[in-house]
Amino acid sequence: MNYYIGDLHFGCTNKYENRTLETDKLIIENWNKIVHQNDDVWLIGDIGRFGGSKDNEYLCQCLSVLKGRKHWILGNHDLTKDARINQLFVEICDYKEITDNYNGLNHKLVLNHCPIFTWNGAYKGTIHLYAHVHNNTDGLLYQESLQKLRELCREENIKGFQIKNPPYSYNVGAMLDYMDYAPRTLKEILEKNKEETAIKQSLAT
């Protein structure tokens, strides 16, 4: 089974998200309730606070107790200078393209820490998973832009063009309501986002 999550930020605290070190314990607890040792978990950037020896040691302690095979897509705050941390991962890369299954169909995925406006296969059904933007305004503007692109695709189809797969991209930041500080499967990501979209549309009418 494949799972996805970004912006773990182990060792980080902040006021605007009420982030404390207790959040780290919550992530570890939620993770190990869901993930099994033979599962693959894709960490899409910003895994934690890097700094001095104590920071890195704490981060290493958090990561080492997480179940599953861990794949690290590097984020803007990530460093790869500590071998103790690096050895906890199956692979470390800046960007990754993989295939996952949902509803009996294989889906191509592009994994990148920062959201990409147009990605490889964006109009061929490839789904983009990202993190980085938390619940910030730039993340909302990004999704609004993609929605406009999808509307343009529908308009082009009415004119006779055939754009069968408009672009879809999803934020898998740990702090989002639907993620709830736990890794999620592709099925959960797609279905929870559909539910949220439906709720927003009903509230708008």
Side-chain angles (χ1 to χ4, degrees), residues 1-2 4 98-109 125 127 129 170 184-195:
M1 183 74 73
N2 285 305
Y4 308 91
I98 66 170
T99 300
D100 200 352
N101 191 278
Y102 167 65
N103 270 357
L105 297 173
N106 286 329
H107 294 266
K108 292 182 179 179
L109 305 177
I127 297 166
L129 301 183
Y170 302 102
R184 299 299 176 187
T185 63
L186 180 61
K187 180 178 187 291
E188 291 174 310
I189 292 165
L190 297 182
E191 292 183 354
K192 287 293 184 180
N193 276 280
K194 285 179 182 177
E195 288 175 13

Side-chain angles (χ1 to χ4, degrees), residues 66-94:
L66 299 176
K67 294 179 181 178
R69 294 186 294 264
K70 296 178 282 292
H71 306 256
W72 184 10
I73 313 299
L74 294 171
N76 58 300
H77 291 296
D78 292 331
L79 300 173
T80 57
K81 295 179 180 179
D82 196 317
R84 296 173 299 173
I85 295 170
N86 297 348
Q87 68 181 357
L88 298 172
F89 294 91
V90 174
E91 64 177 317
I92 302 171
C93 54
D94 293 306

Side-chain angles (χ1 to χ4, degrees), residues 92-143:
I92 302 171
C93 54
D94 293 306
Y95 168 98
K96 189 74 176 181
E97 295 185 13
I98 66 170
T99 300
D100 200 352
N101 191 278
Y102 167 65
N103 270 357
L105 297 173
N106 286 329
H107 294 266
K108 292 182 179 179
L109 305 177
V110 163
L111 312 180
N112 194 71
H113 178 62
C114 294
I116 305 171
F117 187 71
T118 182
W119 56 94
N120 185 29
Y123 294 92
K124 297 180 180 179
T126 299
I127 297 166
H128 172 33
L129 301 183
Y130 64 94
H132 183 63
V133 294
H134 293 228
N135 277 309
N136 296 337
T137 303
D138 48 351
L140 296 174
L141 291 173
Y142 170 72
Q143 284 295 336

Side-chain angles (χ1 to χ4, degrees), residues 138-170:
D138 48 351
L140 296 174
L141 291 173
Y142 170 72
Q143 284 295 336
E144 286 177 6
S145 298
L146 288 184
Q147 179 59 31
K148 289 181 179 179
L149 276 179
R150 291 192 289 269
E151 291 170 2
L152 287 172
C153 289
R154 284 189 282 272
E155 291 176 10
E156 292 300 309
N157 285 342
I158 292 171
K159 295 176 183 177
F161 294 93
Q162 292 298 315
I163 304 174
K164 296 181 180 179
N165 296 292
Y168 281 91
S169 181
Y170 302 102

